[in-house]
Amino acid sequence: MERIARELTERYSLIGVAIHHRVGVVGIGETSVVIAVSSAHRADALAACADAIDTLKGTVPLWKKEIYVGGEEWIGQGS
């Protein structure tokens, strides 16, 4: 995620980027990712946020364990 933030800063001329992915138990509908971007121009900030979440979902090896009434399952890249 640090690499993603660094690349976004260069690509969109951002002032700052923070990306945090929550760990632990996350309930259905709860927030699991926070992306904060500061930029001199709103369009750059919004484009960088969209780029950040798309890149994060496609490249960061995140795993989650889904728990059902009848069992559980690990879900993630390569599962």
Side-chain angles (χ1 to χ4, degrees):
M1 289 189 287
E2 289 176 7
R3 178 187 54 78
I4 293 170
R6 193 171 46 253
E7 290 173 358
L8 290 170
T9 299
E10 295 169 5
R11 188 174 316 127
Y12 294 97
S13 299
L14 304 176
I15 296 167
V17 178
I19 303 172
H20 176 76
H21 197 288
R22 186 171 165 187
V23 296
V25 177
V26 179
I28 295 171
E30 290 183 3
T31 301
S32 60
V33 176
V34 173
I35 299 169
V37 175
S38 60
S39 172
H41 303 286
R42 178 181 8 182
D44 285 341
L46 294 172
C49 280
D51 195 349
I53 193 66
D54 291 343
T55 303
L56 182 135
K57 288 182 171 245
T59 62
V60 177
L62 300 172
W63 290 81
K64 65 180 180 176
K65 184 178 189 180
E66 292 195 353
I67 302 171
Y68 312 102
V69 173
E72 56 191 39
E73 174 183 19
W74 281 98
I75 299 176
Q77 293 180 347
S79 62

